[in-house]
Amino acid sequence: MTGLCSGRVAVVTGAGRGLGRAHALALAAEGARVVVNDLGVAADGSGGDTGPAHAVVARIRAAGGAAVPHTGDVATTSGAASLVETALDAFGRLDTLVNNAGFLRDRMLVNLDENDWDAVVRVHLRGHFLPLRHAAAHWRSEAKAGRPPRARVVNTGSGAGLVGSVGQGNYAAAKAGVVGLTLVAAAELGRYGVRVNAVAPAARTRMTERTFAEAMALPAPGGFDAMAPENVSPLVVWLGSADSDSVTGRVFGVEAGRITLWEGWRPGPAADNGDRWTVAGAGEAVRGLLGSAAPPWPVHGGAP
């Protein structure tokens, strides 16, 4: 390890299992002091258990690192505020926020009720916004006090939020919202020394065990486990370090040994007749535009 994050304090939400745990351990291995947040809920968000957060803290400490647990609900104002306060009380500073907490309640749209919609959007989207809002308020205060931070936020998006995913309307909408939030936060907070990016990982977790069941059944070539959540963490650590100062407002896909820079919505082909379109004219223009445009990326789980 290089000690890339020595002296930094990182908060990771949803860090008791899966990707969050891998991120917390990797940050600690690079010298960061870590606040490990996890409610310990089931894969659908039900229940709760403080054990996972404490287990990750114990593992970091056993390896010689520094960590404290936080078991509050980061999708509440009090939970998000106490998350930031925990970092400041325990370590005196906050440098990196990794928003990762989430769960799934997959349904086809016609079977998706409003409770499952609200629960998933709440944890993924509000659970990103509130920690970011409270961390940003702290960093802005630091900057105004003449102590400009080199702060980093790494949000967790998904391919579902970039191209859609059949059976995951609630999750895809929330993750698309995370990307929008990332872009706005990067634009607003840059003046305070804050860099904000997102990753769209593909890895084996409780949330994806059915999605990657076939891949997980295959032997790992050369001993490389392509679906291990630890494959995502090196990029998260780098984005959470001071080295990433020139990178903000970006979304990176991470899968196995591949890192992809996703390029977002931007103007494509256009037609302008200098006046209001007729209905027929608008339709004809759209057909022409589609004929000159690249086809959209296929929706996950959709027909080929």
Side-chain angles (χ1 to χ4, degrees):
M1 298 302 174
T2 64
L4 183 65
C5 294
S6 293
R8 295 181 69 82
V9 174
V11 167
V12 185
T13 70
R17 301 181 177 95
L19 284 166
R21 175 174 60 191
H23 301 340
L25 294 173
L27 283 159
E30 289 293 342
R33 292 165 287 173
V34 185
V35 178
V36 177
N37 162 265
D38 204 279
L39 272 175
V41 298
D44 65 354
S46 60
D49 180 4
T50 62
H54 286 273
V56 175
V57 168
R59 185 168 169 181
I60 291 172
R61 291 176 176 173
V68 294
H70 179 274
T71 56
D73 183 355
V74 297
T76 66
T77 296
S78 60
S82 69
L83 180 68
V84 174
E85 291 165 3
T86 296
L88 299 178
D89 290 345
F91 303 121
R93 60 185 297 127
L94 173 61
D95 302 284
T96 300
L97 168 64
V98 179
N99 283 316
N100 171 77
F103 54 76
L104 294 178
R105 294 186 184 179
D106 292 351
R107 301 282 190 281
M108 301 298 279
L109 284 174
V110 295
N111 297 319
L112 181 61
D113 67 39
E114 62 186 274
N115 292 327
D116 290 336
W117 173 276
D118 289 345
V120 169
V121 171
R122 175 186 181 274
V123 68
H124 287 281
L125 193 49
R126 194 196 299 178
H128 272 63
F129 160 65
L130 286 174
L132 174 54
R133 182 248 182 268
H134 286 280
H138 165 69
W139 289 324
R140 182 181 63 176
S141 295
E142 288 291 287
K144 288 185 174 182
R147 299 183 295 270
R150 298 182 73 181
R152 305 289 183 264
V153 178
V154 184
N155 290 328
T156 304
S158 169
L162 299 172
V163 301
S165 180
V166 172
Q168 294 189 309
N170 49 3
Y171 177 71
K175 289 304 190 184
V178 167
V179 172
L181 177 63
T182 299
L183 300 179
V184 172
E188 291 185 357
L189 302 178
R191 72 190 74 176
Y192 305 121
V194 184
R195 305 292 180 259
V196 187
N197 295 284
V199 295
R204 178 182 61 253
T205 69
R206 292 186 304 164
M207 288 173 49
T208 61
E209 58 186 358
R210 286 182 297 175
T211 303
F212 296 122
E214 182 177 344
M216 286 186 281
L218 298 175
F224 175 52
D225 183 353
M227 289 293 104
E230 290 79 9
N231 299 336
V232 180
S233 299
L235 178 61
V236 171
V237 172
W238 186 83
L239 289 172
S241 75
D243 274 17
S244 63
D245 195 60
S246 63
V247 183
T248 196
R250 297 290 193 167
V251 179
F252 298 91
V254 194
E255 179 177 359
R258 179 187 294 269
I259 296 173
T260 302
L261 175 61
W262 277 82
E263 297 181 333
W265 291 102
R266 62 185 64 201
D272 185 352
N273 71 351
D275 200 351
R276 181 181 302 161
W277 291 96
T278 65
V279 172
E284 182 179 352
V286 167
R287 291 189 184 95
L289 295 176
L290 293 175
S292 60
W297 202 259
V299 174
H300 295 330

